[in-house]
């Protein structure tokens, strides 16, 4: 079972054969026909060549994989949904422990809790919970993996109403760096439970999540658009409006281009300042809530009542897996005129139809959790901002990357300092420290306790304290 790989490891084939007998899942090597397909992730700009993938289908597979990696001194990346912008679900050489075979969603209607497998995507969770009229706060794209989004924090449509995803995490089953298995919650391994609610994949492999779900079946929402020239006016109004709005109303603001259908022809290939709304309150109050929004006279709106999974999948078709992506991010405390002026400048220069900028409000329920109750340190910031350069054609990578960097550089001095880790590329240790602020030291101590050798290091890495 020889491997055709650029790896410097080149594990003896007899070891791999023996390892395979310990698994219910499968191993994919560089010599296998499906290797190139297996190594694809959401961001096609990422081109890494692991030595082997282990497609796990149960906890025993994960434990065996961790032990095999340690015995053979292999670098390990953990892949759930493969959606990470920086491609941290892959590694050069080494092993990828792939959780895509560990999928299940179990809804308990007696207490509205939901058990979810470590390899599930959010769309699969929404499908299972919606029939019971329940939701778990997640992001804005249904193809995102449950694991990555949750461990980084989880900002999305429901943040103002129900908090971040981590604020609704009750329990997790984990495989640790020594191959042991633990269940963590508010009563068991309390420090570790604290750490995984925002500390990323630094502390172990989550094979099962238990969430608190909330009653919600229908929302009222969708996009409103204004000409890009109105960016400063709309941002000033939005900044004064959204943080005092009822928790039932959320919206994220964007600079973007309308790439084509299903939008009307007159909008195509033009730049806009947009707000995508999501209202969770009584439907008979929706028009009243939206009156001040419509008073701003958007040039186009497509808002209305819809099932919650519909708004979660609104942009799935525009952003299928396999596009080229480059990400930059920051938190912001306000949208002062100096900031909105830069959004107008760079929003008027969007390089490709899918490239855009988003600002997600951090207020309502998300802001009422203490800054040290979870590792997510920026509860007092007003926005989680992200700039993404996106295109189908790798020939445009330099163009989308440079636009992103220039946009970010123009705004960074006005930022709160750090960034939401799920919006970051591989940007180095200092950037990670800044993004956890005063919580980093506690995270580093917990890392030393549970992963003293930094086995789980292909992530937004928290290094064990000395």
């Amino acid at each position: 079972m020889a491997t055709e790989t650029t790896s410097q490891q080149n594990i003896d084939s007899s070891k791999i054969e023996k390892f395979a007998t310990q698994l219910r899942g499968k191993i994919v090597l560089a010599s296998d026909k499906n290797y190139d397909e297996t190594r694809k992730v959401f961001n096609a700009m990422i081109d890494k060549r692991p030595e082997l993938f282990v497609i796990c289908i149960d906890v025993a597979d994960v434990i065996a994989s961790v032990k095999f990696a340690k015995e053979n001194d292999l670098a390990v990346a953990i892949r759930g949904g493969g959606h990470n912008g920086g491609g941290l679900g892959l590694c050069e050489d080494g092993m990828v422990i792939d959780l895509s075979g560990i999928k299940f969603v179990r809804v308990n209607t007696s207490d509205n809790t939901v058990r979810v497998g470590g390899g599930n995507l959010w769309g699969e969770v929404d499908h299972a919970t919606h029939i019971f009229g329940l939701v778990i706060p997640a992001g804005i794209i249904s193809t995102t993996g449950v694991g990555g989004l949750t461990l980084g924090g989880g900002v999305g449509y429901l943040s103002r109403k129900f908090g971040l995803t981590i604020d609704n995490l009750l329990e997790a089953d984990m495989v640790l760096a020594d191959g042991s298995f633990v269940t963590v919650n508010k009563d068991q391994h309390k420090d570790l439970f604290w750490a995984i609610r925002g500390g990323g994949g630094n502390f172990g492999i989550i094979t099962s999540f238990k969430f608190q779900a909330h009653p919600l079946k229908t929302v009222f929402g969708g996009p409103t658009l204004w000409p890009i020239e109105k960016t400063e006016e709309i941002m000033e109004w939005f900044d004064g409006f959204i943080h005092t709005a009822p928790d039932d109303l959320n919206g994220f603001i964007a600079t973007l281009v309308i790439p084509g259908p299903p939008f009307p022809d007159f909008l195509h290939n033009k730049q806009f300042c947009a707000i995508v709304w999501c209202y969770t309150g009584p439907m008979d109050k929706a028009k009243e809530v939206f009156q001040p929004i419509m008073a701003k006279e958007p040039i186009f709106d497509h808002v209305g009542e819809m099932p919650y999974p519909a708004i979660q999948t609104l942009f799935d078709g525009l952003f299928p897996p396999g596009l080229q992506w480059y990400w930059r991010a920051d938190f912001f405390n306000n949208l002062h005129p100096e900031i909105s002026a830069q959004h107008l400048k760079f929003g008027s220069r969007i390089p490709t139809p899918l490239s855009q900028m988003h600002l997600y409000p951090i207020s309502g329920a998300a802001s009422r959790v203490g800054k040290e109750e979870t590792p997510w340190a920026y509860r007092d910031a007003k926005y989680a901002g992200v700039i993404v350069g996106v295109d189908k054609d790798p020939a445009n990578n330099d163009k989308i990357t440079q636009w992103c960097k220039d946009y970010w550089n123009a705004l960074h001095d006005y930022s709160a300092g750090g960034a939401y880790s799920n919006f970051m590329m591989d940007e180095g240790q200092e950037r990670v420290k800044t993004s956890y602020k005063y919580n980093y030291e506690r995270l580093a101590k917990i890392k030393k306790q549970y992963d003293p050798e930094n086995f789980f290091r292909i992530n937004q890495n928290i290094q064990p304290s000395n």
Side-chain angles (χ1 to χ4, degrees):
M1 194 184 290
T3 64
E4 298 172 7
T5 177
T6 58
S7 171
Q8 300 302 306
Q9 303 284 349
N10 287 317
I11 307 168
D12 183 81
S13 60
S14 63
K15 289 185 177 181
I16 294 177
E17 289 171 354
K18 182 179 179 181
F19 175 41
T21 66
Q22 303 170 31
L23 302 170
R24 289 182 63 215
K26 63 181 180 180
I27 295 171
V28 177
L29 303 171
S31 55
D32 293 336
K33 291 181 179 179
N34 61 338
Y35 174 78
D36 282 331
E37 186 64 28
T38 301
R39 71 188 183 94
K40 289 180 180 178
V41 288
F42 189 80
N43 183 1
M45 197 181 285
I46 306 301
D47 184 20
K48 297 179 182 179
R49 301 187 65 86
E51 184 157 354
L52 72 160
F53 291 83
V54 185
I55 315 299
C56 300
I57 62 173
D58 58 21
V59 174
D61 284 354
V62 176
I63 292 172
S65 299
V66 168
K67 291 181 176 179
F68 182 80
K70 291 181 75 73
E71 290 166 2
N72 292 279
D73 196 26
L74 292 171
V76 167
I78 313 303
R79 185 168 71 178
H83 211 283
N84 179 264
L88 297 175
L90 291 180
C91 56
E92 288 291 358
D93 308 319
M95 172 195 285
V96 172
I97 298 178
D98 184 297
L99 306 180
S100 60
I102 304 179
K103 286 190 177 186
F104 53 85
V105 184
R106 298 173 188 149
V107 180
N108 185 339
T109 56
S110 67
D111 59 2
N112 291 348
T113 60
V114 184
R115 278 274 182 195
V116 180
N120 277 99
L121 305 181
W122 278 109
E124 297 162 345
V125 178
D126 294 337
H127 172 79
T129 56
H130 180 65
I131 196 70
F132 298 104
L134 296 172
V135 296
I136 301 167
I140 67 160
I141 298 283
S142 78
T143 57
T144 309
V146 170
L149 182 127
T150 300
L151 296 176
V155 176
Y157 286 118
L158 302 180
S159 298
R160 298 193 73 246
K161 179 64 175 178
F162 299 124
L164 307 181
T165 308
I166 52 173
D167 301 331
N168 297 273
L169 179 63
L170 301 175
E171 187 171 280
D173 292 336
M174 300 179 63
V175 177
L176 304 180
D178 62 1
S180 62
F181 176 84
V182 296
T183 297
V184 301
N185 52 42
K186 65 181 179 62
D187 299 315
Q188 300 171 258
H189 300 279
K190 295 178 185 179
D191 275 355
L192 189 53
F193 182 54
W194 178 85
I196 66 169
R197 287 178 291 155
N202 277 281
F203 304 95
I205 303 171
I206 314 294
T207 57
S208 169
F209 297 87
K210 181 182 179 181
F211 294 103
Q212 183 65 60
H214 302 272
L216 181 68
K217 192 137 188 167
T218 302
V219 300
F220 191 99
T224 49
L225 304 178
W226 291 267
I228 195 68
E229 294 79 14
K230 289 202 167 189
T231 296
E232 292 166 295
E233 175 191 338
I234 295 303
M235 285 192 172
E236 180 182 14
W237 166 77
F238 183 77
D239 196 30
F241 172 73
I242 192 64
H243 301 293
T244 57
D247 290 358
D248 280 322
L249 183 65
N250 200 355
F252 69 87
I253 195 165
T255 55
L256 49 75
V257 170
I258 297 300
F263 290 90
D265 291 350
F266 77 95
L267 300 174
H268 294 180
N269 300 310
K270 294 178 182 176
Q271 295 95 350
F272 294 94
C273 177
I275 304 175
V276 183
W277 302 97
C278 179
Y279 168 71
T280 59
M283 290 299 108
D284 60 359
K285 300 288 186 183
K287 289 187 178 180
E288 178 184 340
V289 169
F290 271 72
Q291 277 181 354
I293 297 167
M294 294 309 169
K296 297 303 295 181
E297 299 180 342
I299 192 173
F300 174 82
D301 74 85
H302 189 67
V303 296
E305 186 174 347
M306 65 184 84
Y308 173 72
I311 200 162
Q312 276 290 88
T313 57
L314 209 56
F315 303 110
D316 286 10
L318 288 176
F319 298 110
L323 301 176
Q324 310 288 314
W325 288 75
Y326 187 81
W327 301 58
R328 294 309 297 264
D330 269 321
F331 286 109
F332 293 90
N333 292 328
N334 53 63
L335 295 181
H336 283 174
E338 296 88 346
I339 295 173
S340 60
Q342 295 301 326
H343 285 301
L344 171 61
K345 176 180 176 181
F346 287 93
S348 302
R349 302 176 182 177
I350 295 173
T352 59
L354 294 176
S355 298
Q356 48 196 254
M357 180 285 305
H358 294 176
L359 288 161
Y360 297 88
I362 310 300
S363 59
S367 68
R368 292 194 285 269
V369 176
K371 294 183 287 186
E372 297 179 26
E373 287 185 46
T374 69
W376 216 83
Y378 283 84
R379 298 286 183 163
D380 55 349
K382 294 301 184 186
Y383 301 96
V386 64
I387 305 158
V388 291
V390 190
D391 198 59
K392 296 177 182 179
D393 189 351
N396 287 325
N397 282 359
D398 288 345
K399 180 165 64 172
I400 62 176
T401 298
Q402 194 60 54
W403 174 78
C404 258
K405 289 179 176 179
D406 291 345
Y407 202 156
W408 183 85
N409 285 331
L411 286 168
H412 183 61
D413 286 347
Y414 303 107
S415 76
Y420 173 34
S421 63
N422 284 347
F423 289 162
M424 289 166 58
M425 302 289 279
D426 190 357
E427 299 174 27
Q429 185 64 200
E430 285 308 310
R431 185 77 164 133
V432 174
K433 287 182 178 179
T434 302
S435 296
Y436 287 112
K437 293 202 288 189
Y438 34 73
N439 289 326
Y440 185 87
E441 185 177 346
R442 182 179 175 187
L443 287 166
K445 289 178 180 177
I446 297 169
K447 177 77 169 179
K448 183 178 181 180
Q449 179 182 355
Y450 288 96
D451 185 13
E453 297 175 358
N454 205 9
F455 176 75
F456 298 113
R457 61 185 179 272
I458 300 173
N459 44 44
Q460 301 297 348
N461 194 232
I462 294 161
Q463 296 181 357
S465 60
N466 295 324

